[in-house]
């Protein structure tokens, strides 16, 4: 394997077993402006940048008279109404509404929230009835969802939709799907039509004819693992943490088993349902035909994710953060200057005379 460390030169290393778990990346389409103007929601860094942007924009807009620039700063657009998109959209709406208390210059009508979804519904993981509840909830909070609508262009921050609408938006978040990390294509391992590493239920990489590639393992978003419960999409496990975390544990046990000359065991996990947070106090849960909406679902969302967070140290940090916010309110301090950490220092730094 060739290893490219973030510092220093590349080097090669011999291995007996390789585990491919490079995850997924945002899947985009060649829509004008998207690559330059939009931001994904796949990494913590992206999430922090989005949070900082909306906080900064409120501060800037509060100092401006009503007009085009103020509207642009207060307009948020999210493309893609799947789980991640709806959660992003609803959480940003929640943050924006909470920040209005700090800015008497701004009203809820000054803020514009647009979600663009190509299909005729949002959140395919929940029932149609539950998804309609989500739409009503968002509408009641001042957030507009454009169904059956596609983004045509985002050039220069001007959003143009297939329904003819045009508006300027300073924050455009792209959440219209993910694809396996393309790095898996450079590994010489069998990859299926959708770009995922072909894997068996034992999480061993397999050729198209089903034979095992000795010493190669794959799990998570970058792999096509058969869903033996029969509930998957196209027969494969869907890309989510529910599967990824469990596959990782099964993979580790199977790898040890193979090293010991024992047989690996099939990965099988029945979907536990879906739970989404839609901003403080709002949530939705669906398991089969059973659905919970509103505040109880939000509590379930926090409870489940607190429990699902790997490692006690992480659990304490995350849940501790929630408790702190509950006690003292949201932290709306922006850290956007962190992107240019030397700017303040350099502005006043003495330089040698030319
Ligand atoms: C906004 C959002 C909300 C979500 N909410 C939920 C939810 O509520 N429930 C749920 O079940 N799922 C949720 N998911 C999906 C879930 O996050 C993923 O399915 C899960 O993280 C996949 O795990 P993974 O280990 O396969 O990949 P990742 O978690 O993406 O990890 C892959 C790792 O590999 C690293 N990597 C990539 N390339 C290389 C390389 N060449 N060399 C070395 N390292 C590399 C990456 O930096 C990354 O750290 C959500 C996803 C998003 C984006």
């Amino acid at each position: 394997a060739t290893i490219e460390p973030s510092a220093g030169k590349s080097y090669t290393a011999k291995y007996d077993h390789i585990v491919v778990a490079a995850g997924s990346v945002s899947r985009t389409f060649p829509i004008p402006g998207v690559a330059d103007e939009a931001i994904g929601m796949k990494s913590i860094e992206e999430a922090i940048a989005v949070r900082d942007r909306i906080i900064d924009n409120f501060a800037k807009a509060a100092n401006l008279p009503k007009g085009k620039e103020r509207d642009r700063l207060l307009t948020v657009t999210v493309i893609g109404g799947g789980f991640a998109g709806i959660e992003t959209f609803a959480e940003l709406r929640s943050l924006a509404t909470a920040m209005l208390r700090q800015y008497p210059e701004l009203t809820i009508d000054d803020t514009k929230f647009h979600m663009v979804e190509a299909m005729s519904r949002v959140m395919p993981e929940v029932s149609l009835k539950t998804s309609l509840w989500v739409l009503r909830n968002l509408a009641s909070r001042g957030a507009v969802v454009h169904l059956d609508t596609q983004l045509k262009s985002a050039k220069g921050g001007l959003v143009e939709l297939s329904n003819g609408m045009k508006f300027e938006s300073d924050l455009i978040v792209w959440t219209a799907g993910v694809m396996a990390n393309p790095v898996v294509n450079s590994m010489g391992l069998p990859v299926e039509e959708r770009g995922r590493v072909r894997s068996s239920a034992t999480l061993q990489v397999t050729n198209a004819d089903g034979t095992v590639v000795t010493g190669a393992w794959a799990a998570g978003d970058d792999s096509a693992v058969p869903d033996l419960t029969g509930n998957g999409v196209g027969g494969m496990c869907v890309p989510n943490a529910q599967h990824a975390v469990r596959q990782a544990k099964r993979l580790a046990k199977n790898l040890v088993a193979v090293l010991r000359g024992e047989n690996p065991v099939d990965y099988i996990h029945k979907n536990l349902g879906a739970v989404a947070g839609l901003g403080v106090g709002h949530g939705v849960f669906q398991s089969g035909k059973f659905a919970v909406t509103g505040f109880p679902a939000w509590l379930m969302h926090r409870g489940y994710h607190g429990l699902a967070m790997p490692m006690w140290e992480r659990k304490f940090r995350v849940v501790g953060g929630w408790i702190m916010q509950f006690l003292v309110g949201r932290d709306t301090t922006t850290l956007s200057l962190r992107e240019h950490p030397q700017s303040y220092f350099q502005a006043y730094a003495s330089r040698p005379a030319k």
Side-chain angles (χ1 to χ4, degrees):
T2 306
I3 294 160
E4 286 177 18
S6 47
K9 287 187 180 161
S10 303
Y11 60 94
T12 54
K14 286 192 172 174
Y15 63 86
D16 298 318
H17 287 264
I18 184 166
V19 176
V20 185
S24 54
V25 298
S26 296
R27 183 196 51 173
T28 53
F29 309 108
I31 299 170
V34 165
D36 297 322
E37 303 293 339
I39 181 166
M41 187 49 77
K42 273 299 296 170
S43 66
I44 290 175
E45 292 80 1
E46 286 170 327
I48 293 172
V50 166
R51 172 189 173 276
D52 284 349
R53 177 73 75 92
I54 194 168
I55 294 172
D56 281 348
N57 282 0
F58 264 62
K60 288 180 196 164
N63 288 321
L64 289 175
K66 274 186 190 288
K68 253 180 99 179
E69 179 59 6
R70 193 182 195 245
D71 290 347
R72 190 182 72 82
L73 289 167
L74 295 175
T75 301
V76 172
T77 311
V78 177
I79 316 295
F83 235 78
I86 286 285
E87 283 197 313
T88 303
F89 189 56
E91 290 287 355
L92 288 175
R93 175 69 268 183
S94 177
L95 172 62
T97 304
M99 279 195 300
L100 287 174
R101 278 178 231 129
Q102 296 171 14
Y103 293 102
E105 305 88 344
L106 305 175
T107 68
I108 191 157
D109 293 335
D110 294 329
T111 62
K112 301 279 182 276
F113 277 73
H114 296 278
M115 156 149 287
V116 184
E117 169 51 52
M119 292 201 302
S120 55
R121 59 163 297 176
V122 293
M123 296 178 103
E125 301 85 349
V126 301
S127 70
L128 182 61
K129 192 175 163 206
T130 310
S131 77
L132 292 174
W133 180 89
V134 172
L135 293 181
R136 285 196 301 276
N137 174 276
L138 288 169
S140 72
R141 294 159 60 194
V144 181
V145 179
H146 306 275
L147 296 176
D148 291 315
T149 306
Q150 290 175 13
L151 177 71
K152 287 281 165 208
S153 172
K155 245 179 157 176
L158 176 66
V159 173
E160 294 186 43
L161 305 182
S162 59
N163 63 9
M165 267 188 93
K166 279 186 196 180
F167 51 86
E168 286 195 295
S169 177
D170 190 64
L171 180 55
I172 303 169
V173 187
W174 180 271
T175 54
V178 295
M179 61 181 187
N181 191 328
V183 74
V184 302
N185 292 312
S186 60
M187 295 182 179
L189 294 172
V191 168
E192 43 88 88
E193 316 74 53
R194 292 184 56 188
R196 298 171 294 186
V197 179
R198 211 179 275 278
S199 179
S200 66
T202 54
L203 304 161
Q204 289 165 293
V205 177
T206 52
N207 293 304
D209 62 6
T211 52
V212 167
V213 178
T214 310
W217 304 79
D221 283 9
D222 68 1
S223 61
V225 178
D227 187 336
L228 299 183
T229 65
N231 289 328
V233 173
M236 299 296 160
C237 295
V238 292
N240 65 26
Q242 215 180 106
H243 281 303
V245 170
R246 288 171 176 81
Q247 286 173 358
K249 289 181 184 166
R250 173 45 53 207
L251 190 156
K253 286 179 185 159
N254 281 354
L255 206 161
V256 171
V258 166
L259 289 175
R260 288 179 178 157
E262 297 162 9
N263 284 331
V265 173
D266 282 345
Y267 168 78
I268 182 159
H269 167 66
K270 194 167 179 302
N271 194 321
L272 298 172
V275 62
L278 304 177
V280 175
H282 306 268
V284 65
F285 167 80
Q286 180 96 42
S287 180
K289 287 188 178 158
F290 178 66
V292 182
T293 53
F295 186 71
W298 177 75
L299 282 180
M300 291 165 80
H301 169 260
R302 287 287 166 115
Y304 172 74
H305 283 98
L307 290 172
M309 183 66 53
M311 300 195 295
W312 284 104
E313 172 259 335
R314 284 286 122 190
K315 278 193 215 298
F316 282 128
R317 282 186 201 281
V318 171
V319 177
W322 293 341
I323 293 170
M324 191 60 103
Q325 300 226 12
F326 176 72
L327 295 176
V328 297
R330 282 178 192 260
D331 181 358
T332 51
T333 315
T334 166
L335 296 174
S336 52
L337 273 183
R338 194 184 35 189
E339 284 169 35
H340 310 282
Q342 283 175 287
S343 60
Y344 196 64
F345 177 75
Q346 286 175 344
Y348 303 104
S350 294
R351 296 169 193 275
K354 283 190 181 153

